[in-house]
Amino acid sequence: MSPIKRKSTPLEDLRKYKEMTQETAGHFLSDGCRQTDGHRLLNCAKYVRTYRTPSNDTFIDALYCKHTHCPLCQRQKARKYRSKIHQLLDQNPYLLDSKWLYLTLTVRDCNVEDLRPTGDIMVKAFQRMRTRKLWKDNVLGGIRFIEVTESQVDRESVHPHFHCLLLVRPSMFAGNNYVSTVKWASEWQKALQAHYEPKVHIKRFNGKPDEIRSLIVGHAGYSMKPRKTVLDRRRFLIMTHEMRDLRRAESFGIIRTLFSELNGHANFEAIEQLEEIRQSYEPFIHVWDGRSNNYCSD
Ligand SMILES: [Zn+2]
């Protein structure tokens, strides 16, 4: 068995996330009540097959654990979500000539132990925001992502926020109809029923259809991305408990309808392609070695 030393290959990329997955498994295993989660993550992509095609593409074939808080599986999920968005745009090309916004809505950082009630308040506020005139007059649909990052204030707190991809009426981009960041902040404050003005950020997507596609797909992928480093153990265990049953991405309005109408061709094609590769090429087998934190091949 020899460790694989080449860098920046798909397998090396996988290794980085597998290392984070092992660290995350360690967090779960330190808690007597979360042993099943820990073992599930330890087995995620433990055995990997790689296939090299004549065009020098590397295909990775692995069994993933599909745990919500597994870094490897979050990465897979973000990739799948990006494909789903591509599919949405392929089947509804007029969306590339439409107007899109990327709106970030935040609340004040909260203690990690208050994450659940804070998340519930945010979800309710978002529902309220959707009933407000500004929203109803302008927003046709979109996707809301929830992300929780660590707070810069202290090690007890976290920073929950929403990223929203919004399909808006063209009139919103015209002339005097520009809605400023201040106006969005005021709308969000009212929906939150908060005594402070929450921070919001707004970005308009401009460009040719190809650029709009790349902005939509890129921002959706960014909103679903796994963390770059593993959160400290205490906050991680409380946060994952508090975030149970909370859906990371939720579509609404016309985008929700269009998602429900997508046919599964793209998925079938991807599965068929992998099956063809499995039958046409000899795989290289790699096994995770916990001591060297690397994949080893026979
Ligand atoms: Zn996994």
Side-chain angles (χ1 to χ4, degrees), residues 174-190:
N176 294 329
N177 295 333
Y178 173 71
V179 177
S180 66
T181 307
V182 174
K183 175 73 178 154
W184 278 111
S186 154
E187 286 289 305
W188 180 231
Q189 179 179 2
K190 284 172 188 149

Side-chain angles (χ1 to χ4, degrees), residues 21 40-41 44-45 64-67 70-74:
T21 299
R40 191 165 146 191
L41 264 70
C44 186
Y64 296 97
C65 73
K66 297 189 165 65
H67 192 290
C70 168
L72 264 172
C73 293
Q74 285 173 339

Side-chain angles (χ1 to χ4, degrees), residues 265-279:
H265 280 322
N267 283 342
F268 285 132
E269 277 169 22
I271 293 167
E272 269 179 15
Q273 188 193 20
L274 183 60
E275 200 45 53
E276 204 180 308
I277 287 166
R278 278 182 186 141
Q279 288 176 18

Side-chain angles (χ1 to χ4, degrees), residues 4 7 10-29 38 41-46 48 64 69-73 75 226-231 233 236 287-295:
I4 290 147
K7 298 236 166 150
L11 190 64
E12 178 58 25
D13 202 26
L14 188 82
R15 190 205 71 78
K16 274 192 291 187
Y17 286 93
K18 176 62 178 161
E19 197 175 4
M20 283 169 60
T21 299
Q22 297 297 102
E23 195 182 341
T24 308
H27 284 355
F28 280 131
L29 290 170
L41 264 70
L42 285 182
N43 285 318
C44 186
K46 190 174 176 184
V48 173
Y64 296 97
H69 298 290
C70 168
L72 264 172
C73 293
R75 171 177 170 260
R227 295 173 48 82
K228 287 201 176 114
T229 53
V230 179
L231 195 62
R233 183 162 291 178
F236 174 83
V287 185
W288 181 256
D289 175 29
R291 283 164 305 170
S292 62
N293 268 339
N294 209 339
Y295 282 105

Side-chain angles (χ1 to χ4, degrees), residues 15 28 31 33 38-39 133 149 162 166 172 196 265 274:
R15 190 205 71 78
F28 280 131
D31 180 343
C33 304
H39 288 292
K133 188 172 184 318
T149 50
F162 286 144
L166 302 179
M172 201 177 199
Y196 63 94
H265 280 322
L274 183 60

Side-chain angles (χ1 to χ4, degrees), residues 49-61 272-285:
R49 291 173 180 212
T50 56
Y51 297 84
R52 180 73 57 86
T53 66
S55 55
N56 236 5
D57 287 326
T58 301
F59 281 86
I60 290 194
D61 194 8
E272 269 179 15
Q273 188 193 20
L274 183 60
E275 200 45 53
E276 204 180 308
I277 287 166
R278 278 182 186 141
Q279 288 176 18
S280 311
Y281 306 102
E282 273 299 307
F284 297 92
I285 313 278

